[in-house]
Amino acid sequence: MIRTLCYGGSFDPIHYGHLRCATAAATVGGFGLILLIPSWQSPHKLDRTTSTSPTDRLAMCKLATSNLQIFQVTDLEINRGGPSYTIDTVRALKRMGMPEVNWLIGADQLPALPHWRDAEALLREATIHVMGRPQYDIDWDKLPQSLSDLRRNVIGIPLEEISSTDIRERVAAGLPIDELVPPAVVEYIQTHALYRDAI
């Protein structure tokens, strides 16, 4: 069976940084498939409104990965609706027959991980893999002891200075984003008049 690496997020919009980092992590970690899971609503961004619908973000994820065989996109969280809690998705994937759930997060998410919903259960029920970023030093001494085992799951990835916030702001300012997102996503953003007002 192909080992699968699950990668969730808002992807608002998805960009080359997401794609390159996830691909690098999968390659280093020995995964043959990346399951991209766009959220309905990130629990960490409940106070932020967005001009893009979950349907738009799902469509852009599919367009961005249409010619990348290592990626598969699921609408699991989109269909469920509401805040997209990782533990709920992990359990849903197991009910759907995934024998083990490997979940990819960024190193910058580590400090908040103990505050995620049912964090202790999440650490038991899924294997968390951490994208180690060259510009982000993980201070393990300041993290809870419960996360210490994740040291062995840190995957070094290339530095990617791309952010969705910057892309949204560039679109609102009328600046090009062609080097930041795949061509099909650029076209989708233009066709659907997304991000005209920066978030």
Side-chain angles (χ1 to χ4, degrees), residues 99-114:
E100 61 173 2
V101 178
N102 292 279
W103 197 277
L104 183 66
I105 67 170
D108 56 330
Q109 295 177 293
L110 262 180
L113 186 57

Side-chain angles (χ1 to χ4, degrees), residues 3 5-6 21-22 24-31 100-110 113 122-133 138 140 143 146-157:
R3 294 186 71 221
L5 184 62
C6 300
C21 289
T27 300
V28 173
F31 295 95
E100 61 173 2
V101 178
N102 292 279
W103 197 277
L104 183 66
I105 67 170
D108 56 330
Q109 295 177 293
L110 262 180
L113 186 57
L122 177 62
L123 290 170
R124 289 195 308 269
E125 298 183 37
T127 302
I128 305 297
H129 300 267
V130 182
M131 288 188 283
R133 300 175 184 276
I138 302 173
W140 293 99
L143 294 174
S146 61
L147 301 184
S148 61
D149 286 347
L150 297 185
R151 281 178 186 259
R152 66 175 72 106
N153 294 346
V154 175
I155 302 173
I157 59 167

